[in-house]
Amino acid sequence: MFNDILLSRRSVRKFSAEPVPREKIETMIVAANHAPSGGNFRPWRFVVVSNRHLLDEIKAIILKGIDALPRLLDGTSKEKVTVMQNRYRRFSLFFHDAPVTVFVSYDTTCSNLARTFRERGMSQEMAEREAGYVEIQGTAAAIENFMLAAHALGLGTCWMDPPFFARTEISKLLDLPPEFRLLAMAPVGKPAAIPATARRDDIEKIARFIP
């Protein structure tokens, strides 16, 4: 049963307008909350947005950032910037078609080791890296649980990386505390189309066994 759910999950980018019951979202968050995390710190937080006005604002922020890419990437070739703009238009806006989008952030301060590194003068970014990105690892596991639970409930999701140029503004709009960093966003809804199976590597390529 679990293998069926695991192997049949797809990244869904087309959704019906059918509302998603709150009870199903809560079931998905309960599944996420049972993910493993270093020190059982549970660094994840979820903001569930179905408010169309707020989703409109987030889409507008991303569109403004896409238009500003030539300035943000000054010195990059015009051709490369155009390719990036087209990719962002294709892959960062479809969340708006889903009835719900869930924004996932993590607490950057909960790792004792990272805190020790910061106290010794390291930057936040370097402290997280030297501590093994433990908060990100745990939150990523929670997102995976969330998505598998969604699929088990007959819903589609897609793991999206908030565009680098919009992350700060989206975080402010969602009123995230300053110690929380926006990691991912996941539109949720009834799939309007099921994508084909994505390519996967053979186990011989991805694993090495040392007897």
Side-chain angles (χ1 to χ4, degrees):
M1 176 65 177
F2 176 72
N3 245 28
D4 292 340
I5 295 298
L6 186 68
L7 299 180
S8 61
R9 186 206 62 79
R10 301 288 181 269
S11 293
V12 174
R13 296 181 175 87
K14 294 182 179 179
F15 303 90
S16 78
E18 183 180 334
V20 178
R22 175 172 174 152
E23 294 75 19
K24 288 192 174 184
I25 298 290
E26 290 179 349
T27 296
M28 292 152 61
I29 293 174
V30 168
N33 200 37
H34 279 75
S37 62
N40 194 30
F41 285 127
R42 305 175 308 283
W44 45 75
R45 292 293 183 274
F46 298 83
V47 179
V48 182
V49 180
S50 56
N51 182 288
R52 297 314 304 176
H53 177 68
L54 186 53
L55 292 170
D56 288 345
E57 287 190 76
I58 293 169
K59 181 180 179 180
I61 288 171
I62 295 173
L63 282 170
K64 183 181 71 173
I66 292 172
D67 290 340
L69 276 177
R71 175 177 53 80
L72 295 173
L73 299 175
D74 185 38
T76 304
S77 72
K78 183 178 179 180
E79 292 76 13
K80 185 174 286 189
V81 170
T82 299
V83 169
M84 291 181 68
Q85 286 179 307
N86 290 337
R87 285 187 64 83
Y88 274 118
R89 289 190 184 100
R90 180 181 178 188
F91 292 114
S92 68
L93 298 173
F94 64 85
F95 75 92
H96 190 262
D97 298 328
V100 178
T101 297
V102 179
F103 296 83
V104 189
S105 62
Y106 68 94
D107 186 348
T108 62
T109 66
C110 66
S111 166
N112 290 329
L113 185 55
R115 189 180 305 118
T116 299
F117 288 147
R118 285 194 302 272
E119 290 168 354
R120 295 175 63 85
M122 279 190 187
S123 67
Q124 174 66 36
E125 290 74 17
M126 186 173 289
E128 284 188 43
R129 185 188 70 189
E130 294 302 310
Y133 296 112
V134 63
E135 299 98 335
I136 295 175
Q137 289 188 54
T139 306
I143 296 168
E144 175 76 356
N145 278 15
F146 178 91
M147 296 179 76
L148 289 172
H151 181 48
L153 293 168
L155 298 170
T157 60
C158 186
W159 190 325
M160 299 177 64
D161 179 30
F164 74 92
F165 49 77
R167 194 182 303 265
T168 299
E169 282 193 72
I170 294 173
S171 298
K172 289 179 180 176
L173 198 60
L174 296 175
D175 199 24
L176 296 184
E179 67 272 18
F180 278 82
R181 181 172 297 158
L182 184 60
L183 180 64
M185 46 196 284
V188 181
K190 216 51 167 164
I194 305 295
T197 303
R199 182 178 61 82
R200 294 290 185 258
D201 292 321
D202 293 333
I203 194 169
E204 289 79 12
K205 182 174 180 179
I206 64 171
R208 184 163 60 96
F209 294 84
I210 302 177

